[in-house]
């Protein structure tokens, strides 16, 4: 899988500008343009003749050709980006396209991206295409299950296995299943389930964004708000939603999250995986979401190991999608930690932490002072 990613990255980084000066008859030639898609990916269609970009059959062949370049889960499809608008609105056409590559959903009309049946078809073929769903469908339970981000047998497993026999991981992400935010939690969550080591170890992975919750903080992620997920600190008026098993859509998200952290701590092996994404407004700078600070603090209070996985950047300092490469590095770091009897409880960095923007400083640098404060309060 990693080799496929490298091949695809190499193909997509090649200069295709030579196509701009090709003879017009070649840009109209279906066989020639398909051969270029097979070689360079769907991006070459920016140079295709307009007659091809409105040709339903040609575009479906191009989608199939690009899909056959590599079957990695987070390879996007650029073909439909250049299709004529009527085709992007065509239910029958989009249905056929996502049958070849679910990520074609990205360039479908907003109406189709809000269509549950269309989204489900895309997600069944390509789980990470859930990131392109609109209208709240990226929080739909059945779609989350189809994307393998919701364990259908999670509750059953939990009830049958004692905590002391379980292997648990708790994800810390931005609220990235939302349609207006980044897709990195979706991409990383899907890739985690494809990693042989983590799958072999049968880790139960809790994805907080897959559960509908409430908050006792009107701003949801205000760090200064006192709630840290305990009965004493939570400000929910109904005491029944801040004790025992969290109640979906009723319990405070901080209480629900701490509940998972404490169960991970009681498990045979447990830890937190925190995704640290690039700042969308400032290149070359990793930045935690506001809620992630609270999650780091609660994990430290519970005494849980933290692995921080940094989003990769390109040469220009702009963030790229997580790939199996980052997941493999995380799996290796976890394996080394297990081999050393889980002795090192300091935060482990996976990937390169970058803080090279002159306009802003990464808030990741504030974590040591937060942890120091917690240790002093514990003493």
């Amino acid at each position: 899988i990693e080799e496929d990613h490298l091949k695809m990255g190499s193909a997509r980084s090649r200069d295709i500008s030579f196509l701009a000066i090709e003879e017009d008859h070649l840009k109209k030639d279906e066989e020639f343009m398909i051969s270029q898609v097979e070689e360079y990916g769907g991006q070459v269609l920016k140079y295709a003749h307009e007659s091809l970009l409105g040709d339903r059959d040609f575009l479906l062949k191009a989608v199939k050709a690009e899909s056959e370049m590599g079957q990695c889960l987070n390879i996007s499809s650029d073909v439909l980006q250049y299709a004529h608008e009527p085709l992007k609105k065509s239910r029958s056409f989009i249905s056929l396209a996502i049958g070849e590559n679910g990520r074609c959903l990205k360039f479908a009309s907003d109406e189709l991206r809000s269509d549950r049946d269309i989204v489900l078809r895309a997600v069944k073929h390509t789980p990470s295409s859930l990131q392109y769903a609109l209208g709240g469908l990226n929080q739909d339970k059945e779609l989350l299950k189809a994307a393998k981000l919701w364990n259908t047998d999670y509750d059953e497993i939990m009830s049958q296995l004692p905590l002391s026999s379980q292997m648990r991981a708790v994800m810390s992400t931005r609220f990235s299943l939302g349609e207006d935010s980044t897709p990195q939690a979706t991409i990383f969550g899907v890739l985690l389930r494809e990693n042989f080591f983590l799958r072999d170890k049968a880790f139960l992975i809790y994805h907080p964004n897959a559960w509908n919750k409430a908050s006792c903080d009107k701003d949801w992620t205000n760090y200064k708000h006192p709630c840290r997920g305990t009965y004493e600190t939570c400000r929910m008026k109904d005491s029944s939603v801040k004790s025992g098993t969290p109640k979906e859509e009723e319990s405070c998200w901080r209480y629900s999250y701490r509940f998972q952290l404490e169960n991970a701590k009681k498990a045979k092996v447990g830890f937190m995986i925190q995704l640290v994404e690039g700042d969308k407004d400032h290149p070359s700078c990793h930045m935690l979401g506001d809620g992630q600070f609270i999650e780091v603090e609660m994990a430290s209070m519970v005494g849980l190991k933290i692995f921080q996985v940094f989003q990769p950047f390109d040469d220009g300092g702009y963030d790229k999608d997580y790939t199996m490469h980052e997941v493999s590095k995380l799996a290796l770091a976890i394996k080394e930690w297990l081999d050393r009897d889980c002795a090192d409880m300091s935060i482990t960095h996976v990937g390169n932490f970058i803080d090279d923007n002159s306009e802003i400083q990464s808030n990741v640098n504030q974590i040591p002072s937060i942890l120091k404060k917690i240790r002093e309060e514990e003493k």
Side-chain angles (χ1 to χ4, degrees), residues 38 97 107-108 131 168 255 278 328:
E38 292 172 341
F107 298 109
Q131 66 191 272
R168 289 195 174 207
Y255 177 78
S328 296

Side-chain angles (χ1 to χ4, degrees), residues 50-252:
E50 284 295 312
S51 62
L52 291 181
L53 300 181
D55 187 321
R56 176 190 183 103
D57 293 334
F58 166 75
L59 290 170
L60 290 175
K61 289 179 183 177
V63 169
K64 184 175 182 179
E66 185 179 49
S67 298
E68 290 175 353
M69 287 182 69
Q71 300 300 321
C72 300
L73 284 170
N74 69 331
I75 297 303
S76 64
S77 176
D78 296 323
V79 169
L80 296 197
Q81 179 179 354
Y82 307 102
H84 288 174
E85 288 304 315
L87 286 175
K88 295 181 181 181
K89 297 177 181 178
S90 169
R91 182 183 182 85
S92 60
F93 172 72
I94 292 298
S95 182
L96 290 171
I98 59 179
E100 292 289 346
N101 186 337
R103 288 171 70 96
C104 286
L105 182 66
K106 178 179 181 179
F107 298 109
S109 67
D110 287 355
E111 181 180 354
L112 291 177
R113 290 171 64 191
S114 303
D115 186 303
R116 194 176 184 283
D117 291 336
I118 289 291
V119 174
L120 179 60
R121 179 172 171 80
V123 169
K124 283 184 174 179
H125 186 280
T126 313
S128 57
S129 64
L130 182 62
Q131 66 191 272
Y132 303 122
L134 299 180
L137 291 179
N138 39 32
Q139 293 284 0
D140 183 279
K141 287 186 180 180
E142 294 306 314
L143 294 174
L144 289 166
K145 289 176 182 178
K148 302 179 182 178
L149 288 175
W150 185 303
N151 248 336
T152 55
D153 54 356
Y154 188 89
D155 293 331
E156 182 180 350
I157 294 173
M158 294 298 94
S159 63
Q160 292 180 356
L161 282 176
L163 271 173
S164 58
S165 301
Q166 295 174 16
M167 313 274 273
R168 289 195 174 207
V170 181
M171 295 295 299
S172 169
T173 67
R174 295 180 183 174
F175 294 114
S176 51
L177 290 180
E179 61 201 49
D180 295 324
S181 50
T182 76
Q184 297 310 312
T186 309
I187 292 172
F188 199 87
V190 172
L191 292 173
L192 274 178
R193 293 193 175 279
E194 299 301 315
N195 181 269
F196 295 112
F197 172 76
L198 296 176
R199 191 169 61 197
D200 182 60
K201 291 293 184 181
F203 279 102
L204 293 167
I205 302 174
Y206 173 72
H207 296 272
N209 289 347
W211 300 82
N212 296 322
K213 296 173 286 293
S215 178
C216 66
D217 169 17
K218 64 180 180 64
D219 298 320
W220 279 77
T221 56
N222 182 354
Y223 182 77
K224 294 182 179 179
H225 190 277
C227 180
R228 289 300 180 268
T230 64
Y231 184 90
E232 293 76 19
T233 60
C234 185
R235 294 295 186 261
M236 284 291 194
K237 293 181 180 179
D238 184 355
S239 60
S240 68
V241 301
K242 55 181 182 179
S243 61
T245 302
K247 299 178 180 179
E248 191 171 3
E249 297 183 346
E250 296 183 48
S251 294
C252 174

Side-chain angles (χ1 to χ4, degrees), residues 9 14 20 36 69 75 103 113 142 171 212 262 288-289 311 330 335 349:
R14 285 184 237 164
Q36 298 307 296
M69 287 182 69
I75 297 303
R103 288 171 70 96
R113 290 171 64 191
E142 294 306 314
M171 295 295 299
N212 296 322
E262 289 176 344
L288 288 169
Q311 186 177 5
L330 170 64
K335 182 180 184 301
H349 286 185

Side-chain angles (χ1 to χ4, degrees), residues 315-335:
D315 292 338
Y318 292 94
D319 52 85
K320 303 188 296 183
D321 285 354
Y322 282 107
T323 68
M324 189 60 78
H325 179 66
E326 285 74 45
V327 174
S328 296
K329 290 175 70 174
L330 170 64
L332 179 60
I334 293 171
K335 182 180 184 301

